Amino acid sequence: MRIIPSILAAVFVLSISTLVQAKEPFSAMDVFKIAYAGDTVVSPDGQMIAFSRYYMDVMTDSRKSDLWLIDADGDNIRQITKDFDAVGSAAFTPSGDAVAFMAVKDEKSHIYLQNLKSEKRTELGQDLTEPGNLSFSPDGKWLAFTMPVTYKPETMGEMPAAPDGAKWAEPIIVETRDMYRADGVGYLPFSSHQVFLIPTKGGAAQQLTQGQQDNNSPLTWLPDASALLMSINIKNNVNKPMDTDIVRLDLKTRQFTALTTQLGQDLAPQISPDGKRIAWVGKKYAPGMAHLFSNQLYTAKLDGSDAQKLTSGRDFGVKNFAWHQDNQRIYIQYEERGKEVLALLAQDGTVSKLSDELSGWELDQPYVMGQFSASAGVAAFTQGNSTTPTELAVVNSLDKVKVLTDLNRSLHKSVQFSTAQEYSVKSSFDKREIQYWVMLPPDFDPKKSYPMMLQIHGGPWAAYGPQFAANNQLYAAAGYVVVYGNPRGSTGYGEEFAEIIDNNYPSQDYDDLMDIVDSTLKMGFIDEDKLFVTGGSGGGVLTAWIVGKTDRFRAAVVVNPVINWSSHLLIGDSNKLFVNNWFADLPWNDPMKYWSHSPLSLVGNVTTPTMLMTGEEDWRTPISEAEQYFSALQVKGVDTALVRVPGASHWIEARPSQLIAKVNAILAWFERHSKPADASAG
């Protein structure tokens, strides 16, 4: 009798083993099966969480989303919207009995108010255009939001009237704006975001602000509903586009009053639950770019007086925050060694970590990112790791973490994902610790030798970590050992580590990356004759720099790079920010500084077969940068190709098929050059 359970157990174990063995490596079409959570919002009483469920629509080749609700204990999950083209994040009414959200259908924008008890849905306002930053008044009677409003551009000369029936060219356009083009948009319309109010019981929207000042900012109501707090560039200094201040918009006078005045960025004001203090993140201006990624947390009285910095002595930047219900502690989000951390900051500066598994939703690359929301002692956040696309998790009043969703259950049942394993190496340049990760092919055998792909992150003030990345999963499934890390300049390792490449990029970050490669080779399972390298944006810069410094890689793919700093800093969409902060002086004052850090300066050394790839509508690192390098490599006789991605911006993998096409092109280029040059010639 006792033998039967043992037999059953053995059969069960065998069945589980068979299921594991039946899993297939991640494939291109699996990209369309991915779903992930984002835009979490906790209700005022902490009982419910609204979130967006993003998914891939294979028929329209797009990422779509719907609004969902779930109880904070994980029960009663329900879908709120369906069949919209896009849905914005939700805003709960103060009573928590309804949510407002923006939705787009057939290129028309709407604001809806969804009653959560009766399930009745009403539309607020009409003929709206891209409304955002929804925020309810404390009594729930008004909804504030921002929306772009067009204005007439400047003209230059008068044209005669065209004859009836004549077909003349489009009229000329005169630009005097400091920013007239943006990545993902192209040439900007002549409009500026203004603040509106609309009654929640119905009625016309009232425009509170006027003019060409752009007021695109999250909105926070004062407790007495007399004013809104915002963060805008009220000084309008063309050379300091990130110099924002916390301002008060009086609803009666409709006038702005600045509550902060320091040179630098002050962002995202929030009012404490007891209505006595404001908190915000900001950083006093300093030369260079790295300081933009290390915001500190401040609080002050409602009028801006008694300002205090709560993160003094802490060597991390605060990305996001929310007041705790006790009015003393504050939830904060920050990076630390390849992880995105959610923690509680006490008044005495003590930091208590709640989770280091905050995860983002870029999906194609393992950038350290994530998002959270908190109210009434409950914090909801996006959670994931290297094998799990982002789910929804919650931290309750006892600081216990619980994952609430399982959006990729079927994918996990059928697919064998590769895990990112953490390592570190001492820099050969100055002995700094450099953190990196290795992903092995699903059928990895330590007795075999594998080709290695070095994957370099962009930024350069950003970081990779053990987060889900569809491209790396596809590379590993194709048989590559995928290696990526955080060289100097990466965020999450303290201010000094990030700032060391200010005015000095690329430089010793090259040495750090080579140390990562050498450390991986010592593991003994890499074919040293099959080393490949790729990276995008800042990673594209470093990839182009690498092939100008060494010929150890069999082939390279440079994705949306900067090749010539002088040309890029004056033509990219963030040109005023770049040209005033990237190097210590302007390009016409110190041209050799710009040239000495430009990959184009090393093109004469390149022998590595190098492919370029850029979106045709990329205005962050315009395609003219890649074209310069492509032409130079052709002139030199280096094996090269230029891949143009039609319709793509700097986010080159915005559509699922673009992600697949990018990966397939990189794998094909590497496969073409996987054999010794004399064997693959022709």
Side-chain angles (χ1 to χ4, degrees):
M1 293 290 293
R2 292 181 180 179
I3 297 177
I4 294 177
S6 299
I7 295 174
L8 291 175
V11 172
F12 179 76
V13 170
L14 181 61
S15 299
I16 293 296
S17 176
T18 303
L19 286 173
V20 171
Q21 292 175 359
K23 286 186 176 183
E24 297 293 330
F26 189 66
S27 68
M29 290 305 292
D30 287 331
V31 171
F32 287 100
K33 300 175 184 178
I34 296 172
Y36 57 99
D39 308 323
T40 63
V41 181
V42 180
S43 64
D45 61 4
Q47 297 299 306
M48 287 183 293
I49 302 164
F51 69 98
S52 295
R53 177 187 177 272
Y54 290 85
Y55 62 96
M56 311 296 155
D57 186 341
V58 69
M59 300 308 294
T60 61
D61 186 25
S62 61
R63 306 185 189 209
K64 292 188 174 182
S65 67
D66 283 307
L67 180 64
W68 288 64
L69 280 178
I70 189 171
D71 291 352
D73 60 6
D75 293 336
N76 195 23
I77 188 170
R78 59 269 196 204
Q79 185 173 353
I80 302 299
T81 67
K82 189 177 182 181
D83 297 329
F84 287 109
D85 297 325
V87 178
S89 60
F92 280 95
T93 57
S95 62
D97 60 356
V99 291
F101 61 91
M102 185 279 292
V104 178
K105 183 70 174 178
D106 299 327
E107 299 184 355
K108 293 184 178 180
S109 301
H110 309 267
I111 295 178
Y112 291 105
L113 185 64
Q114 176 84 46
N115 188 296
L116 300 180
K117 294 181 179 179
S118 66
E119 298 186 359
K120 179 182 178 182
R121 180 182 296 173
T122 57
E123 184 170 1
L124 300 179
Q126 293 181 340
D127 300 322
L128 304 179
T129 304
E130 300 176 8
N133 299 308
L134 309 185
S135 180
F136 282 102
S137 62
D139 59 9
K141 295 181 179 179
W142 296 90
L143 180 69
F145 63 96
T146 59
M147 187 170 69
V149 176
T150 60
Y151 59 84
K152 291 184 178 180
E154 184 177 334
T155 59
M156 197 71 68
E158 294 186 9
M159 288 291 291
D164 290 343
K167 296 182 179 180
W168 286 17
E170 291 289 322
I172 63 172
I173 298 172
V174 180
E175 282 294 359
T176 57
R177 298 174 292 178
D178 56 284
M179 186 172 184
Y180 57 89
R181 186 170 54 201
D183 186 61
V185 180
Y187 286 102
L188 296 171
F190 287 89
S191 65
S192 58
H193 287 82
Q194 305 300 334
V195 182
F196 290 80
L197 279 184
I198 193 167
T200 54
K201 290 186 177 181
Q206 305 174 26
Q207 185 175 337
L208 299 182
T209 58
Q210 308 287 336
Q212 295 186 22
Q213 164 73 52
D214 195 83
N215 301 307
N216 190 14
S217 164
L219 305 172
T220 299
W221 288 80
L222 287 185
D224 62 1
S226 64
L228 292 164
L229 296 184
M230 307 169 58
S231 172
I232 59 175
N233 187 349
I234 198 170
K235 301 188 189 85
N236 285 313
N237 184 336
V238 64
N239 290 315
K240 296 289 185 294
M242 298 296 288
D243 181 17
T244 54
D245 284 299
I246 309 301
V247 300
R248 179 183 185 273
L249 173 60
D250 189 280
L251 298 190
K252 287 185 178 180
T253 66
R254 302 189 179 183
Q255 298 297 309
F256 285 119
T257 302
L259 303 185
T260 61
T261 58
Q262 73 172 0
L263 181 61
Q265 55 187 8
D266 293 295
L267 306 164
Q270 295 184 33
I271 296 177
S272 60
D274 62 9
K276 294 181 178 180
R277 294 188 71 83
I278 311 166
W280 73 94
V281 292
K283 186 69 182 290
K284 187 177 180 179
Y285 173 79
M289 291 285 291
H291 71 279
L292 298 174
F293 304 92
S294 57
N295 282 323
Q296 301 300 301
L297 183 65
Y298 297 84
T299 69
K301 293 181 179 179
L302 298 187
D303 61 0
S305 63
D306 188 33
Q308 302 174 16
K309 184 164 68 172
L310 299 187
T311 47
S312 294
R314 289 290 177 179
D315 197 13
F316 56 68
V318 178
K319 286 187 172 182
N320 190 14
F321 73 95
W323 285 94
H324 192 275
Q325 65 177 351
D326 62 14
N327 297 294
Q328 299 297 313
R329 293 176 293 171
I330 297 180
Y331 294 97
I332 58 173
Q333 176 185 337
Y334 61 92
E335 288 182 40
E336 184 178 61
R337 294 188 55 78
K339 298 288 188 72
E340 194 81 353
V341 177
L342 176 63
L344 273 171
L345 174 67
Q347 291 292 315
D348 63 2
T350 302
V351 175
S352 303
K353 291 183 183 180
L354 301 175
S355 175
D356 63 0
E357 281 204 336
L358 271 71
S359 177
W361 43 89
E362 186 161 332
L363 288 183
D364 55 301
Q365 298 179 71
Y367 279 109
V368 177
M369 58 196 312
Q371 182 260 335
F372 85 95
S373 170
S375 184
V378 174
F381 64 95
T382 53
Q383 181 269 349
N385 52 50
S386 64
T387 61
T388 304
T390 305
E391 301 285 349
L392 176 68
V394 67
V395 181
N396 62 23
S397 57
L398 299 176
D399 297 345
K400 300 295 184 181
V401 175
K402 180 181 181 181
V403 180
L404 303 184
T405 59
D406 190 6
L407 304 179
N408 295 278
R409 180 184 301 172
S410 60
L411 197 59
H412 281 290
K413 286 183 177 180
S414 61
V415 173
Q416 182 180 356
F417 290 111
S418 296
T419 302
Q421 303 174 26
E422 180 184 335
Y423 298 91
S424 66
V425 62
K426 295 291 185 181
S427 171
S428 59
F429 178 73
D430 58 9
K431 304 305 178 184
R432 294 173 187 271
E433 183 183 4
I434 308 299
Q435 189 180 29
Y436 70 99
W437 290 263
V438 175
M439 294 176 63
L440 304 175
D443 58 352
F444 176 75
D445 182 345
K447 297 179 182 179
K448 296 181 179 180
S449 293
Y450 294 86
M452 192 201 81
M453 185 186 303
L454 176 64
Q455 234 262 61
I456 308 172
H457 75 66
W461 291 283
Y464 276 165
Q467 302 215 12
F468 186 83
N471 60 352
N472 285 350
Q473 293 291 342
L474 290 171
Y475 297 144
Y480 287 83
V481 172
V482 182
V483 181
Y484 61 88
N486 291 328
R488 68 193 62 219
S490 302
T491 51
Y493 301 88
E495 201 163 346
E496 192 268 346
F497 190 88
E499 290 182 347
I500 197 170
I501 65 166
D502 254 335
N503 303 314
N504 190 34
Y505 167 77
S507 58
Q508 282 70 50
D509 35 10
Y510 163 81
D511 300 289
D512 297 342
L513 291 167
M514 294 306 99
D515 293 332
I516 289 172
V517 172
D518 293 337
S519 180
T520 307
L521 292 179
K522 291 177 182 177
M523 296 179 187
F525 47 76
I526 302 297
D527 184 341
E528 296 192 26
D529 291 327
K530 292 185 178 180
L531 305 182
F532 302 90
V533 59
T534 186
S537 192
V541 175
L542 281 165
T543 302
W545 188 261
I546 284 169
V547 296
K549 300 278 284 186
T550 180
D551 61 358
R552 70 186 304 185
F553 293 94
R554 180 60 58 82
V557 178
V558 176
V559 182
N560 46 32
V562 173
I563 295 301
N564 184 335
W565 288 117
S566 291
S567 58
H568 167 259
L569 296 187
L570 291 169
I571 199 172
D573 64 344
S574 299
N575 52 71
K576 306 304 186 299
L577 174 67
F578 290 149
V579 79
N580 283 287
N581 292 280
W582 205 265
F583 290 123
D585 207 343
L586 298 169
W588 47 87
N589 292 334
D590 191 3
M592 291 310 298
K593 176 71 172 182
Y594 285 73
W595 180 248
S596 66
H597 288 279
S598 295
L600 190 59
S601 70
L602 300 177
V603 72
N605 302 331
V606 179
T607 59
T608 304
T610 301
M611 184 169 75
L612 286 301
M613 182 184 298
T614 302
E616 289 185 345
E617 297 178 17
D618 186 339
W619 288 112
R620 186 61 42 81
T621 55
I623 195 170
S624 58
E625 291 294 309
E627 289 170 339
Q628 291 181 63
Y629 206 62
F630 174 60
S631 179
L633 291 174
Q634 285 184 316
V635 169
K636 268 209 80 226
V638 177
D639 192 1
T640 186
L642 173 64
V643 177
R644 295 185 285 114
V645 186
S649 65
H650 194 64
W651 188 18
I652 201 171
E653 312 90 347
R655 304 182 72 174
S657 71
Q658 291 171 332
L659 189 158
I660 295 169
K662 171 190 170 183
V663 168
N664 286 349
I666 290 173
L667 290 174
W669 182 255
F670 289 167
E671 178 61 27
R672 177 183 296 185
H673 298 284
S674 63
K675 298 178 182 179
D678 58 348
S680 60

